[in-house]
């Protein structure tokens, strides 16, 4: 049985549907054509003086580090410091039983007194012999013997004096003093234990590290070293061998540098296994917050100051392997401009090539634009940062 579509006033309903859909399409196209160009925010590049910085990972190390060991053997009487405290050079750390050494020193004092008495007697006998030889009461041979006896007595006195001084030093060594100022580690020997002196493998008692100032060591790759050497040869950057170039250090977890210092050392050769140059900077650490062994990010000056154009980093887009920005031309159409990026400086990106100071760069709304299409630009206030701030060379 064949069915027929109902008719409305002699016109099939299907035809009415087709006409209605065609009318909707025409309306949508007319509305799309009537939409204004999308609004975007544009800004001109900021022009200011900047300096490039290279960034490296470094580790802090103490300028002075001492392992405190016993210089004489004996039983430990007491520990005179608190574990982990700050100690100063000359502070008392340990007391080793001094009585055996005091007895030896007393014995050495007696030997010295005896040697001095013998020397005095030999001197008197020689003086007497020199007087008697003039009257031929004694022979020249006797005088020579007495002169030799005096010299032997003087040698014995010198030997006894050295023995006494050594014994007195041992008495001093029973009081173990801090050789440097810094933070002491924990005590490794408790009272009542026997320690060995330097003659039999000195016992380690504790260790001390200096904290203020502190070193940070880092490795400079060969390419950076060659570039900096070229800049030095051209007179555009001072060498860290001859000049204490400034450095900035950010600790782990910090986004901005919190400590400043200066270069202190460059090694005399590159490491053949890593092709890097060991370098060192010295950092003030007045609050003693940095400890040896910590990591830090070191920023080292990488160029002399120069004039540069900067834009917000959010205005930079990626097109495959290129970095681009969107520029609004005089007719309000969008142009994609390939650029060469430099370092960040106070949140703004240095543009080495690809932009002019008078260009209008889209800084907001780039997701709504198409190359060649028109936009409605709105000028934003030029971003301003600290002109003296330092950026990180990527």
């Amino acid at each position: 049985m064949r069915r027929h579509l109902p008719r409305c006033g002699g016109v099939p309903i299907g035809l009415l549907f087709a006409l209605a859909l065609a009318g909707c399409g025409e309306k949508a196209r007319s509305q799309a054509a009537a939409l204004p160009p999308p609004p975007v925010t544009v800004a001109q590049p900021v022009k200011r003086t900047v300096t490039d910085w290279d960034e490296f990972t470094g580790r802090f190390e103490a300028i002075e580090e001492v392992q405190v060991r016993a210089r004489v053997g004996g039983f430990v009487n007491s520990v005179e410091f608190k574990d982990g405290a700050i100690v100063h050079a000359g502070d008392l750390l340990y007391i080793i039983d001094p009585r055996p050494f005091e007895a030896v020193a007393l014995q050495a004092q007696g030997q010295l007194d005896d040697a001095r008495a013998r020397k005095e007697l030999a001197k008197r006998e020689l003086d007497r012999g020199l007087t008697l030889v003039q009257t031929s009461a004694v022979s020249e041979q006797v005088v020579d013997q007495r002169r030799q006896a005096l010299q032997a007595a003087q040698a014995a006195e010198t030997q006894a004096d050295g023995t006494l001084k050594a014994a007195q030093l041992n008495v001093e060594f029973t009081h173990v003093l801090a050789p440097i100022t810094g933070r002491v580690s924990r005590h490794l020997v408790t009272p009542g234990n026997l320690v060995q002196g330097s003659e039999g493998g000195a016992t380690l008692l504790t260790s001390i590290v200096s904290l203020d100032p502190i070193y940070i060591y880092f490795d400079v790759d060969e390419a950076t070293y060659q570039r900096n050497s070229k800049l030095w040869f051209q007179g555009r950057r001072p060498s860290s061998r001859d000049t204490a170039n400034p450095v900035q250090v950010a600790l782990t977890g910090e986004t901005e540098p919190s400590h400043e210092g200066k270069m202190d050392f460059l090694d005399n050769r590159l490491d053949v296994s890593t092709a890097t140059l060991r370098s060192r900077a010295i950092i003030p650490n007045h609050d003693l917050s940095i400890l040896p062994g910590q990591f830090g990010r070191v920023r080292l000056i990488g160029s002399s100051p120069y004039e540069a154009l900067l834009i917000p980093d959010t205005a930079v887009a990626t097109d495959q392997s290129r970095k681009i920005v969107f520029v609004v031309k005089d007719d309000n159409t969008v142009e994609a401009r390939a650029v060469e990026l430099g370092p960040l400086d106070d949140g703004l990106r240095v543009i080495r090539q690809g932009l002019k100071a008078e260009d209008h760069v889209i800084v907001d709304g780039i997701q709504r634009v198409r190359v060649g299409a028109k936009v409605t630009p709105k000028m934003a206030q030029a971003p301003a940062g600290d002109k003296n701030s330092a950026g990180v060379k990527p």
Side-chain angles (χ1 to χ4, degrees):
M1 183 177 179
R2 183 178 297 176
R3 294 185 177 182
H4 299 279
L5 293 174
R7 292 177 176 269
C8 180
V11 180
I13 292 179
L15 181 58
L16 291 177
F17 284 160
L19 293 174
L21 292 175
C24 291
E26 291 290 341
K27 183 178 181 180
R29 284 191 294 270
S30 63
Q31 290 178 348
L35 288 177
V40 295
T41 303
V42 298
Q44 289 182 312
V46 177
K47 185 177 182 180
R48 68 181 183 216
T49 302
V50 298
T51 301
D52 291 346
W53 295 71
D54 298 316
E55 183 172 345
F56 310 95
T57 299
R59 184 188 290 273
F60 290 98
E61 292 188 16
I63 294 180
E64 296 180 298
E65 180 175 357
V66 175
Q67 291 185 336
V68 181
R69 296 181 180 270
R71 302 180 72 171
V72 293
F75 287 93
V76 175
N77 281 354
S78 63
V79 179
E80 301 294 329
F81 67 93
K82 181 181 178 182
D83 292 356
I86 295 294
V87 296
H88 298 85
D91 286 354
L92 182 61
L93 302 179
Y94 282 88
I95 297 179
I96 300 172
D97 188 1
R99 292 174 297 176
F101 304 100
E102 290 172 345
V104 173
L106 186 61
Q107 183 181 9
Q109 181 65 58
Q111 293 173 349
L112 177 60
D113 293 340
D114 180 68
R116 286 174 176 171
R118 291 177 182 276
K119 184 191 75 170
E120 185 64 25
L121 177 60
K123 184 176 183 300
R124 290 178 181 178
E125 290 181 347
L126 176 61
D127 291 341
R128 188 180 302 113
L130 291 174
T131 302
L132 294 175
V133 77
Q134 295 177 358
T135 60
S136 300
V138 296
S139 63
E140 291 288 346
Q141 182 179 4
V142 172
V143 173
D144 291 340
Q145 290 173 350
R146 292 181 180 183
R147 184 178 287 111
Q148 187 275 334
L150 176 60
Q151 293 174 348
Q154 290 173 337
E157 180 192 24
T158 302
Q159 183 178 5
D161 186 52
T163 302
L164 176 60
K165 289 181 178 178
Q168 290 173 338
L169 278 177
N170 287 336
V171 174
E172 291 182 14
F173 292 158
T174 60
H175 288 64
V176 182
L177 307 180
I180 63 172
T181 297
R183 191 176 297 280
V184 67
S185 181
R186 63 186 179 90
H187 64 279
L188 301 178
V189 179
T190 55
N193 283 286
L194 178 66
V195 296
Q196 297 293 326
S198 56
E199 297 83 1
T203 302
L204 178 62
L205 303 177
T206 187
S207 62
I208 305 174
V209 294
S210 63
L211 295 177
D212 183 28
I214 193 169
Y215 285 146
I216 184 168
Y217 285 89
F218 57 96
D219 295 324
V220 176
D221 60 276
E222 185 175 358
T224 300
Y225 171 72
Q226 289 179 337
R227 174 173 55 81
N228 290 341
S229 295
K230 183 178 180 181
L231 291 175
W232 169 77
F233 184 76
Q234 296 172 349
R236 298 166 54 190
R237 177 188 182 276
S239 171
S240 294
R241 293 192 185 276
D242 308 321
T243 305
N245 284 326
V247 299
Q248 299 177 339
V249 179
L251 303 181
T252 301
E254 295 179 344
T255 57
E256 295 295 331
S258 59
H259 293 76
E260 295 183 351
K262 59 185 180 180
M263 287 297 299
D264 181 68
F265 165 76
L266 290 179
D267 210 345
N268 59 359
R269 59 174 296 175
L270 269 69
D271 189 313
V272 295
S273 60
T274 61
T276 57
L277 181 69
R278 176 54 58 95
S279 307
R280 182 180 73 195
I282 187 169
I283 309 296
N285 187 28
H286 302 316
D287 58 359
L288 308 183
S289 60
I290 305 175
L291 293 179
Q294 283 186 245
F295 283 99
R297 298 292 295 173
V298 182
R299 297 176 179 181
L300 173 63
I301 183 173
S303 73
S304 57
Y306 63 94
E307 292 291 328
L309 298 179
L310 302 93
I311 63 174
D313 202 32
T314 55
V316 181
T318 301
D319 180 17
Q320 295 180 352
S321 61
R322 300 187 308 164
K323 296 295 184 180
I324 61 172
V325 297
F326 295 100
V327 177
V328 177
K329 299 191 294 186
D330 294 339
D331 59 356
N332 289 344
T333 58
V334 177
E335 176 187 6
R337 192 83 60 80
V339 293
E340 180 183 344
L341 303 183
L344 278 173
D345 187 273
D346 193 32
L348 300 181
R349 177 65 69 176
V350 173
I351 303 299
R352 299 196 184 281
Q353 292 183 1
L355 281 183
K356 299 178 182 178
E358 61 272 16
D359 287 335
H360 291 76
V361 181
I362 299 178
V363 296
D364 186 26
I366 60 176
Q367 69 278 6
R368 297 190 296 267
V369 303
R370 291 183 298 107
V371 176
K374 286 185 175 293
V375 294
T376 303
K378 177 183 177 182
M379 182 64 69
Q381 183 178 1
D386 183 3
K387 294 184 179 182
N388 296 323
S389 62
V392 183
K393 188 176 181 63

